[in-house]
Amino acid sequence: MDLADLTIAEAGARLRSGDLTAVDLLAAVRRRVSMTEAILHAYLTIDADGATAAAVEADAAFSRGEDRGPLHGIPIALKDNMVTRGIETTCSSRILAGYIPPYDATVVERLKTGGAVILGKTNLDEFAMGSSTENSAYGTTRNPWNPDRVPGGSSGGSAAAVAVGSAFGAFGSDTGGSIRQPASLCGVVGMKPTYGLVSRYGLIAFASSLDQIGPIGRTVADTVTLFEAVAGHDPADATSFRGSYPDPRVDLDKGVKGLRIGIVRELSGDGIQPGVAAAFQATVDRLDAAGAAVKEVSLPSTEFALSAYYLIAPAECSANLARFDGVRYGPRVDGDSVEAMMSATRRDGFGPEVTRRILLGTYALSAGYYDAFYGQAQKVRTLVMEDFKKAYAEVDVLVTPTSPTTAFEVGERADDPLAMYLSDICTIPSNLSGDPAVSVPVGLDEDGLPVGFQVLAPALGEAVMFRVAAEVERLSGFDIRPELASSEGAR
């Protein structure tokens, strides 16, 4: 087996046995990058010097008997909306071209403290606004299972990199499904934590009440490892959770016997592609046979969740992105006045999808329309949260397909924003509620494209969520890699 195809657990065990070195792992991943990037374009930046220095230091530390934890010496990728000291951070936007942050995000700091080797920054939809990674100002990322298809978004670069073996794990951000949907379309595991469990300090904000950083791994166990490395209170983030939470790994091998699993009626029927529906039902049947008590539950307000999200998120983004005016960051377009300079800089710096959402959000917050749009959307958000609360009184976890379809063709929905927005219809509700959720690959559709199965849990319910996810992974037996993740496939 090529070293780039190892899991984090396998690579870590061989590092500690002295069977290989961190430099060996980095070399294997860089070979995979060189084989696949011309097709995929998963990365925006490769920090070859920084990664090499970190790998050499990891090997030196192991030789001294030092071990910083399970990510020590493991090559990891970061979505390019997390600030990295001394490395360009663009959010895939022209307006941040050339921006070199003077500090690291808390997540980046924790990964470095744990000895992870940060290989580079991955592509995304501009400012994390999109579901296909087509909205990047620096080109589209392709799906490793079929380069004519999208990888999902907005964390499409991170998901594609993990799927093809050009990173052992990666981090993305999830505002409406931006980790789970690309994980589903690329056949890897992607997780959104409970709001506040992972620091947002240093994550360039899209919608502050919805954004969460989360991990993408090849297996559930790897994803838990990545999550553990960055979770926990951060005094630099005012929304960071201060309390304790259950060990997310403690129940991984306990199976689902006796657990109560709810199928969300409104998110598992009409509008789901036949191949996705078949894989979803087959997984539910396996859970039932494994001893879970499966029942259908209703979340009636989720019918309005998509509409509410596309008022709340744009409203928050219109405020968060007001700071990008050509004064502090990125290229500046000259004008006859300060106002003209700012206007021209923002006109040329933002792409069409970001501009659309800023205008929509500004309108929703404007005098005379605030109560009719933003205020109503917040009331819907409360109803969605109450629906989840009632459901979790009856069941331990909820399940849905992660995405209503498998990967669609590049360009297929680029001119139809509503069709694009519907890609996230199964993932958005848990962003509104702030609860955790994870996508696990369970099979391929008739076109050979991966299907994701979503497990949702109540706030701080990561332990039971990962318990069910691990059993879904075991029962599905999904262990297929894209052909591109091989020397032959990349030619």
Side-chain angles (χ1 to χ4, degrees):
M1 175 186 285
D2 190 301
L3 296 183
D5 295 321
L6 297 174
T7 65
I8 291 174
E10 292 168 340
R14 292 181 63 176
L15 272 175
R16 285 160 183 79
S17 71
D19 185 41
L20 52 77
T21 67
V23 171
D24 293 336
L25 290 178
L26 178 61
V29 167
R30 291 194 63 189
R31 280 197 300 273
R32 188 61 59 83
V33 169
S34 68
M35 288 161 45
T36 59
E37 270 301 281
I39 298 171
L40 293 183
H41 187 41
Y43 281 91
L44 293 179
T45 302
I46 296 287
D47 181 22
D49 292 342
T52 300
V56 169
E57 169 54 29
D59 287 333
F62 282 125
S63 69
R64 297 191 298 268
E66 299 172 10
D67 189 341
R68 299 188 193 174
L71 294 184
H72 199 176
I74 303 295
I76 299 296
L78 300 171
K79 188 176 182 177
D80 196 31
N81 61 350
M82 299 169 211
V83 299
T84 42
R85 185 175 54 217
I87 301 175
E88 185 180 24
T89 301
T90 68
C91 272
S92 289
S93 179
R94 288 189 299 273
I95 208 163
L96 277 175
Y99 171 55
I100 309 294
Y103 70 104
D104 282 329
T106 296
V107 162
V108 179
E109 272 188 0
R110 291 182 177 180
L111 289 170
K112 288 182 175 177
T113 300
V117 175
I118 297 174
L119 175 58
K121 309 290 289 291
T122 57
N123 200 10
L124 65 149
D125 287 296
E126 184 177 8
F127 282 101
M129 298 181 198
S131 305
S132 63
T133 317
E134 294 173 288
N135 294 332
S136 169
Y138 304 107
T140 299
T141 294
R142 303 280 174 155
N143 190 303
W145 293 82
N146 182 342
D148 293 332
R149 307 284 180 130
V150 303
S154 62
S155 308
S158 290
V162 174
V164 81
S166 54
F168 282 82
F171 286 86
S173 63
D174 193 315
T175 306
S178 284
I179 291 173
R180 292 160 286 158
Q181 188 256 10
S184 174
L185 270 53
C186 290
V188 292
V189 180
M191 177 254 188
K192 183 195 87 71
T194 299
Y195 185 84
L197 266 191
V198 174
S199 172
R200 293 185 300 110
Y201 181 71
L203 172 69
I204 297 177
F206 160 17
S208 302
S209 76
L210 301 162
D211 296 339
Q212 273 291 270
I213 293 174
I216 297 173
R218 289 180 203 156
T219 66
V220 172
D222 277 2
T223 306
V224 175
T225 297
L226 292 161
F227 168 66
E228 290 175 317
V230 300
H233 177 63
D234 176 18
D237 177 0
T239 62
S240 179
F241 178 68
R242 292 175 178 273
S244 60
Y245 54 93
D247 181 348
R249 186 180 295 276
V250 66
D251 293 332
L252 275 187
D253 299 325
K254 289 189 176 178
V256 293
K257 187 174 182 180
L259 287 182
R260 302 166 300 167
I261 296 177
I263 304 169
V264 182
R265 180 184 305 150
E266 291 81 3
L267 301 177
S268 56
D270 294 342
I272 305 298
Q273 183 177 296
V276 174
F280 174 74
Q281 187 57 50
T283 305
V284 169
D285 291 343
R286 293 187 194 107
L287 290 170
D288 185 43
V294 180
K295 63 182 287 189
E296 190 174 82
V297 299
S298 177
L299 301 178
S301 298
T302 55
E303 178 184 353
F304 309 107
L306 188 74
S307 301
Y309 173 88
Y310 277 101
L311 286 165
I312 295 170
E316 294 187 16
C317 99
S318 71
N320 281 326
L321 271 59
R323 77 191 72 175
F324 303 116
D325 53 12
V327 176
R328 298 188 187 91
Y329 310 105
R332 176 185 299 180
V333 180
D334 291 335
D336 295 334
S337 64
V338 172
E339 186 178 53
M341 179 276 290
M342 291 180 175
S343 177
T345 298
R346 288 170 65 82
R347 180 197 61 215
D348 287 1
F350 290 132
E353 180 61 27
V354 173
T355 300
R356 179 184 295 118
R357 297 198 195 193
I358 290 174
L359 291 173
L360 178 61
T362 304
Y363 182 79
L365 292 175
S366 60
Y369 297 99
Y370 181 95
D371 289 337
F373 293 106
Y374 185 74
Q376 289 295 321
Q378 290 289 13
K379 290 177 182 176
V380 171
R381 184 176 191 174
T382 300
L383 293 175
V384 170
M385 295 168 73
E386 290 176 350
D387 278 357
F388 273 109
K389 187 176 179 180
K390 290 176 185 174
Y392 289 130
E394 300 179 19
V395 297
D396 298 300
V397 298
L398 297 166
V399 297
T400 74
T402 307
S403 170
T405 70
T406 52
F408 44 91
E409 292 187 2
V410 172
E412 180 181 333
R413 301 180 188 177
D415 297 325
D416 187 346
L418 182 57
M420 188 70 81
Y421 297 166
L422 286 169
S423 302
D424 300 327
I425 195 167
C426 297
T427 52
I428 278 175
S430 61
N431 292 88
L432 292 175
S433 70
D435 299 333
V438 64
S439 178
V440 183
V442 293
L444 302 177
D445 73 354
E446 61 276 13
D447 294 322
L449 297 167
V451 176
F453 185 91
Q454 183 176 218
V455 182
L456 308 97
L460 305 179
E462 274 80 1
V464 68
M465 179 189 76
F466 280 129
R467 175 181 173 182
V468 175
E471 188 66 357
V472 167
E473 181 179 64
R474 189 186 70 79
L475 293 171
S476 68
F478 183 85
D479 190 26
I480 309 170
R481 303 292 302 280
E483 186 180 352
L484 197 60
S486 68
S487 302
E488 294 74 20
R491 288 172 181 159

